Amino acid sequence: MTVAPPQPRPADEPAPAAPDPRGLLVDPIARVEPRPADPYAAPFPDLTGFVEEFAGSPRKLRICIATEDIVGPIRNGGIGTTYTHLAKRLVEEGHEPTIAYLRGDHCENKSMAHWVEWYRQAGVRFVPIDPTTVDVVTPASRWVNPMLALYEFLKQESFDAVHVSEWRGLAMPAMLARKQGLALQDTAFLVKASSPWLWNREHGYHTLNRPTDLPKMFAEMRSIELGDVVIGGSRHLLRWMLEHGYRMPPRSHSQPNVIVPPKSEELDALREKRRGMAGTRMPIDELVFFGRLEYRKGLDVFCDAIDRLVAEGIELPKIALMGKYGEPIPSWPEYPTQEYLKVRTKAWPVEVTLLTNYNTEQAVTYLLSGDRLAVMPSVIENSSLAVYEAASFGIPCIASDRGGTPELVIDEHHDAMLIEPHPVKLAEKLKEAIAQGGFIAEPTFDNGQNLQVWRDFHDHLGSFVEHRSAELAQRTQAPPTVAACLVLQDNHEHVAELLAALEPAEAAGDVCLVIANDGSTRPETRAWWEELKGHDAGSRTLLDEPGYGEQHAANAAARASQSDVLVFIEQGAVPDAEAIGMIRQAAATSDAEAFGGFFRSSTPAMRERGDMPRLHASFVADQSTTFFGLQRLSPVLAIRRQTFAELGGFSEDHKIPGALAEMFMTAKLSDRVVETIPESLATVDEGYKRHRRVNELALSYRTARPFVQLGPQCFSRVLLTARAAGDLFGDGAQSGPLASVDGMARDANETFGSSPLLRRIGMAVYHQQNRLYYNFVKLEIMCARGARKLMKAIGL
């Protein structure tokens, strides 16, 4: 391994960590996801500076809003509400918005045809995109399929800009392709910082018990890092991202969400009256928990606080719980949320109403149409839509002081309406509100001015799109020289197939070949090798190696090459016709030092039936996912020659597979930029002899070795134990829910493939089952309350 000579350092600077046995310093691993010293002091300005920087003549833009959450098909989601308001505003401002809805025909209200027409009448093109129509093998099909479906949709369109949330990482493949110069060069990506899954898990006191969430979390982080403009509703979440290792783009801004108030004469009159009462109190006759019914929104805190007031004998007003059902409460894991509420509210001596189907307009109308106090004791928030609406409409409220909520109301009103999210603190504030009236806080923003900033942003967005396209074009350098390093190891039939596949690129001068014969002993292979050496080699380099192993020969081929980029191909894989061209383009445009890609696979049975190969989609830079399942990683490694040399080349383990996977992780954990080309680079023959017999235990160790060698020594035993827990992303587990839990189903899926139609039917049955269950619980609660009222009325 080659290590750069040490640089002079100040006398008071601590010495770097000692090198590990392979010569790599341990220090770089801390920079893979850096933790800054004081992330919560980062400023993150609003969008006014952006508007001034790119002031230009307004022009009509084609803008895509890509989302899984939207008003209509989905009930009352914060992201969906914001994007629906945004779409309507874009129409008013003269732009052409398209909503790409990434949940196909999934609809919680009415029918998809109804909502397509509803949006059409509002001037918005609404396109439902079914993510299950392509048979993709991936570590987490629920999350990765919509990403790939959006990428394919965007390639077929011509948008100036795409609004997309980091939530679920929908646009990551599209942004990777744009960064690598493969597609979408004239499209700007505007990424909304909304609700990362890790942030949600941390503050909901949930562990990561589903490994299929790992690809989603990786995609969420990369979506922020790849965004042209990142816009968060609060500085809190942007600072949290900074704290958790996100490399924030230079154009990261904090700006309140786009909210267009519902319009009616009655609501307008109420709103104006209430806003004029900011800083005062009004009597209340109902407490309304306002937010999703889950732990993170403070549901447990609210219930505990009400129990305290009941125990103290405080006379309570009516209570309403308004929001969609969320996940079970951590301290009551055996109860679904519906059952939990039934148990918790049973002893409350007042009328309790469940309002679980309201959209935003209905919720605001309900709160404004009576003397109601909105209660939002969230454990954590980004930019709470509930608090935003309460402050904007002059609704008296109590909210927690966590996350981005304090940013929404003026400092002078914090003491009157903000509380620590604890039952004791909330109970005290509720008693105060019951006795003195609910406090109406003044927002820090004027919604009219906020909407004007957003209008100015879109008016000048065209100038930014042109600037960004020119910037990408300037960054692209001359295509690098590429060498394909092939190893002959008594497998001349496969090497001959590789030569045939690479011949067009070789003839065009896009690739040169370095072939190392690793001491082949088969007479047929030796005769083929001698014949190959007898021909004019041209741009090829042929090496005779003594037979020390595949990785030894690959390292020798790399040393013999003078090309800028080295390409290594796993045995049994044949590169696609476009692979070398895509690698050259990506290396010329992106700053990445190592590239992998998607691939297709087929079995002999599939080829016999005439089935199309299946696409495998894994992201090689996702160290969390790849730690648990590396068998299906990219069969093609493209790495800059200098980087390969600095990392010491392949470790030379005789007859142990996993060299490419180990190199990907060694590069990633050494703070090198590693990227996935989101296109197929090769086709793998699953019937290839090397794939029929694999030393699984050795492969498992080898693919975990970079984590053990480069990570803290105290975690080495934990890491090896975790790796031994099993391959959580087994070959068949990526294709369907049955295949993930049953070994026979995995085998059947491998042999016969999986059906997108059956997956869609299964998901429909799953959602219908949930709806039926919710309705039965609601009916049970209504019956219980009716019986309680009847018994109270007759004196029992």
Side-chain angles (χ1 to χ4, degrees):
M1 173 167 298
T2 303
V3 178
Q7 301 297 314
R9 57 183 177 84
D12 58 347
E13 182 180 315
D20 74 0
R22 293 188 63 201
L24 287 173
L25 294 177
V26 177
D27 287 340
I29 199 169
R31 298 198 297 269
V32 174
E33 292 180 8
R35 186 187 296 270
D38 192 6
Y40 287 89
F44 293 114
D46 61 23
L47 284 173
T48 54
F50 178 95
V51 171
E52 294 170 359
E53 181 181 359
F54 295 102
S57 300
R59 67 179 177 90
K60 187 176 185 177
L61 300 175
R62 294 193 70 231
I63 298 176
C64 177
I65 298 172
T67 182
E68 287 195 13
D69 183 6
I70 199 71
V71 168
I74 304 297
R75 290 195 306 268
N76 197 30
I79 294 171
T81 300
T82 296
Y83 277 157
T84 297
H85 288 314
L86 174 62
K88 292 181 176 181
R89 288 286 299 180
L90 289 173
V91 172
E92 294 176 8
E93 295 165 9
H95 302 292
E96 294 182 14
T98 294
I99 293 175
Y101 174 63
L102 274 300
R103 296 196 69 178
D105 59 0
H106 173 68
C107 203
E108 297 176 357
N109 297 292
K110 299 185 179 179
S111 68
M112 188 54 62
H114 169 84
W115 294 115
V116 170
E117 176 60 20
W118 187 82
Y119 276 101
R120 189 194 67 78
Q121 292 181 7
V124 179
R125 177 185 174 217
F126 189 93
V127 183
I129 299 174
D130 186 353
T132 66
T133 54
V134 180
D135 186 12
V136 179
V137 183
T138 174
S141 59
R142 170 62 187 89
W143 315 120
V144 177
N145 281 23
M147 300 179 200
L148 303 182
L150 176 61
Y151 177 38
E152 292 301 320
F153 173 73
L154 294 177
K155 285 195 292 185
Q156 296 166 16
E157 299 280 337
S158 179
F159 293 111
D160 297 295
V162 177
H163 274 287
V164 64
S165 171
E166 108 292 331
W167 182 59
R168 297 181 174 173
L170 289 174
M172 182 188 69
M175 289 192 283
L176 277 172
R178 197 275 310 273
K179 181 175 185 281
Q180 295 160 6
L182 302 177
L184 308 172
Q185 293 300 280
D186 297 323
T187 301
F189 286 85
L190 317 172
V191 183
K192 170 178 165 56
S194 302
S195 179
W197 191 242
L198 180 59
W199 175 79
N200 190 295
R201 298 291 86 185
E202 279 188 357
H203 295 291
Y205 290 89
H206 286 283
T207 57
L208 301 175
N209 58 344
R210 291 182 297 185
T212 53
D213 284 337
L214 294 173
K216 174 175 63 175
M217 291 188 291
F218 171 75
E220 288 176 342
M221 173 182 278
R222 289 299 285 147
S223 292
I224 290 292
E225 296 175 339
L226 292 167
D228 295 306
V229 184
V230 171
I231 308 168
S234 75
R235 292 180 178 84
H236 153 76
L237 187 59
L238 298 175
R239 290 164 174 167
W240 178 93
M241 290 174 171
L242 198 61
E243 178 191 21
H244 284 74
Y246 288 54
R247 299 174 189 264
M248 304 300 290
R251 296 187 181 92
S252 297
H253 301 269
S254 174
Q255 186 72 33
N257 293 318
V258 176
I259 298 295
V260 181
K263 293 185 180 297
S264 73
E265 291 185 6
E266 180 184 4
L267 280 180
D268 287 346
L270 280 171
R271 182 169 60 250
E272 290 306 313
K273 178 182 177 182
R274 293 284 185 84
R275 287 295 302 274
M277 296 169 60
T280 66
R281 293 182 178 272
M282 61 173 281
I284 60 167
D285 60 13
E286 185 173 357
L287 307 178
V288 181
F289 179 89
F290 186 25
R292 195 180 305 110
L293 302 176
E294 66 179 15
Y295 178 84
R296 187 171 69 82
K297 295 294 184 178
L299 180 61
D300 208 28
V301 173
F302 180 81
C303 292
D304 285 351
I306 296 298
D307 283 349
R308 294 184 67 87
L309 296 180
V310 170
E312 291 179 31
I314 303 297
E315 186 175 349
L316 294 172
K318 295 180 297 182
I319 295 175
L321 301 165
M322 186 161 61
K324 294 194 295 187
Y325 290 117
E327 293 188 349
I329 303 298
S331 56
W332 297 64
E334 70 278 19
Y335 284 93
T337 306
Q338 300 92 316
E339 288 289 339
Y340 166 83
L341 289 173
K342 178 181 174 181
V343 173
R344 294 305 305 268
T345 63
K346 183 177 181 180
W348 294 356
V350 295
E351 179 184 347
V352 180
T353 305
L354 274 170
L355 306 171
T356 60
N357 293 313
Y358 279 14
N359 61 29
T360 300
E361 182 173 347
Q362 291 170 322
V364 171
T365 301
Y366 184 83
L367 289 167
L368 281 173
S369 60
D371 297 332
R372 297 181 169 108
L373 176 74
V375 184
M376 299 154 286
S378 302
V379 174
I380 193 66
E381 282 289 0
N382 171 22
S383 182
S384 168
L385 188 60
V387 176
Y388 189 104
E389 290 164 345
S392 180
F393 284 94
I395 297 167
C397 65
I398 295 172
S400 78
D401 60 358
R402 299 304 161 88
T405 297
E407 300 176 33
L408 296 175
V409 296
I410 63 173
D411 292 348
E412 294 82 352
H413 292 171
H414 284 188
D415 289 343
M417 55 85 63
L418 295 182
I419 50 104
E420 177 187 347
H422 191 279
V424 173
K425 297 294 185 180
L426 178 57
E428 292 173 354
K429 192 63 74 175
L430 287 172
K431 282 194 290 186
E432 181 181 283
I434 293 169
Q436 303 176 23
F439 188 81
I440 300 175
E442 182 176 341
T444 53
F445 58 91
D446 178 273
N447 197 51
Q449 293 178 358
N450 181 49
L451 293 178
Q452 185 59 49
V453 171
W454 278 102
R455 178 173 193 134
D456 293 342
F457 171 74
H458 289 108
D459 278 349
H460 302 301
L461 185 57
S463 297
F464 172 73
V465 171
E466 294 170 2
H467 166 83
R468 188 73 176 116
S469 297
E471 189 176 65
L472 288 171
Q474 291 173 1
R475 194 178 67 194
T476 302
Q477 302 177 5
T481 55
V482 175
C485 300
L486 312 179
V487 174
L488 177 65
Q489 198 178 48
D490 282 327
N491 60 338
H492 67 278
E493 299 91 347
H494 178 58
V495 175
E497 193 176 8
L498 291 177
L499 296 182
L502 292 168
E503 185 177 7
E506 184 184 17
D510 293 337
V511 66
C512 60
L513 304 180
V514 183
I515 310 170
N517 181 7
D518 182 39
S520 297
T521 58
R522 283 178 62 199
E524 302 95 321
T525 299
R526 293 176 63 181
W528 181 87
W529 176 246
E530 293 302 322
E531 182 181 355
L532 185 68
K533 289 198 296 183
H535 290 91
D536 179 18
S539 63
R540 299 176 179 179
T541 301
L542 307 182
L543 306 175
D544 279 296
E545 291 298 309
Y548 287 131
E550 183 179 358
Q551 282 89 63
H552 179 91
N555 286 337
R559 287 192 297 270
S561 171
Q562 296 301 311
S563 297
D564 302 317
V565 175
L566 307 175
V567 174
F568 300 92
I569 304 168
E570 183 183 90
Q571 293 209 30
V574 177
D576 294 343
E578 303 83 6
I580 296 299
M582 287 190 287
I583 289 170
R584 294 186 78 210
Q585 180 62 56
T589 307
S590 172
D591 61 346
E593 297 172 72
F595 298 91
F598 299 164
F599 66 99
R600 298 186 183 277
S601 74
S602 66
T603 64
M606 291 172 63
R607 292 193 294 275
E608 185 177 336
R609 293 192 305 267
D611 294 347
M612 294 292 293
R614 289 178 295 162
L615 179 67
H616 293 246
S618 295
F619 300 102
V620 296
D622 177 8
Q623 70 270 17
S624 300
T625 301
T626 52
F627 175 82
F628 287 107
L630 292 168
Q631 287 90 331
R632 309 296 342 128
L633 210 58
S634 171
V636 176
L637 163 67
I639 185 168
R640 299 188 192 272
R641 182 167 56 88
Q642 181 177 349
T643 302
F644 187 77
E646 290 172 352
L647 295 175
F650 295 118
S651 57
E652 298 180 5
D653 300 273
H654 188 54
K655 291 188 176 180
I656 303 299
L660 300 194
E662 183 182 30
M663 179 55 69
F664 279 123
M665 283 301 98
T666 299
K668 171 70 174 181
L669 298 178
S670 301
D671 195 29
R672 308 300 180 122
V673 181
V674 179
E675 287 181 353
T676 303
I677 294 173
E679 301 280 358
S680 176
L681 296 181
T683 299
V684 172
D685 179 3
E686 297 289 7
Y688 189 72
K689 61 181 181 180
R690 180 65 63 90
H691 297 154
R692 293 201 297 267
R693 183 172 182 176
V694 175
N695 186 334
E696 297 286 353
L697 290 176
L699 174 65
S700 181
Y701 172 77
R702 184 172 189 177
T703 51
R705 184 162 57 187
F707 296 87
V708 175
Q709 289 189 336
L710 300 175
Q713 182 63 33
C714 62
F715 290 160
S716 60
R717 293 172 293 279
V718 174
L719 291 170
L720 285 174
T721 303
R723 189 66 184 91
D727 182 355
L728 300 182
F729 304 106
D731 292 356
Q734 300 107 357
S735 295
L738 287 178
S740 66
V741 296
D742 184 81
M744 290 178 65
R746 282 200 301 271
D747 293 342
N749 177 68
E750 182 67 23
T751 304
F752 301 110
S754 61
S755 165
L757 175 61
L758 287 178
R759 289 202 299 272
R760 288 200 297 276
I761 292 173
M763 290 304 294
V765 171
Y766 170 77
H767 289 301
Q768 199 63 39
Q769 172 189 312
N770 275 350
R771 292 193 196 104
L772 189 62
Y773 175 73
Y774 294 159
N775 288 334
F776 271 121
V777 172
K778 285 160 61 176
L779 179 62
E780 183 182 0
I781 292 171
M782 289 171 59
C783 291
R785 290 205 176 112
R788 190 168 63 197
K789 288 181 182 178
L790 178 62
M791 293 173 67
K792 186 175 181 181
I794 62 178
L796 294 179

